């Protein structure tokens, strides 16, 4: 009886871990797609803009989006 209980609990834990993994994979994918789009648009604008102050703001936007994507990758890895 104890072995069967252990087997059932192990199976439940495996299923819960799989659900959690799938959730984080979906979440990070759904968040990384718009982030990549924002970064691409900011990089394109950065090339077109001539004002130094605006370029600086766009550069910071690109760097922050890269940092956020890296954090999402770390979350997915965990």
């Amino acid at each position: 009886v104890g072995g069967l209980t252990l087997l059932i609990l192990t199976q439940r834990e495996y299923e819960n871990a799989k659900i959690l993994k799938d959730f984080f994979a979906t979440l990070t994918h759904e968040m990384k797609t718009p982030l990549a789009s924002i970064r691409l648009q900011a990089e394109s604008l950065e090339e077109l803009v001539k004002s130094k102050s605006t370029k600086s703001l766009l550069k910071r936007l690109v760097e922050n989006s890269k940092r956020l994507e890296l954090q999402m990758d770390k979350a997915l890895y965990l």
Side-chain angles (χ1 to χ4, degrees), residues 1-60:
V1 174
L4 181 60
T5 302
L6 185 60
L7 184 62
I8 291 170
L9 291 175
T10 303
Q11 181 64 26
R12 283 186 189 168
E13 185 64 31
Y14 174 77
E15 290 170 0
N16 288 339
K18 185 178 180 328
I19 290 169
L20 190 60
K21 181 181 175 186
D22 290 345
F23 169 76
F24 275 107
T26 302
L27 177 71
T28 55
H29 174 74
E30 292 298 323
M31 293 182 76
K32 283 177 71 172
T33 301
L35 273 173
S37 177
I38 289 169
R39 190 177 83 204
L40 179 63
Q41 291 174 27
E43 288 172 346
S44 298
L45 285 173
E46 191 178 13
E47 292 176 5
L48 296 174
V49 170
K50 307 241 187 277
S51 167
K52 281 198 167 216
S53 62
T54 306
K55 272 193 178 217
S56 174
L57 290 172
L58 288 169
K59 184 176 182 177
R60 191 168 55 183

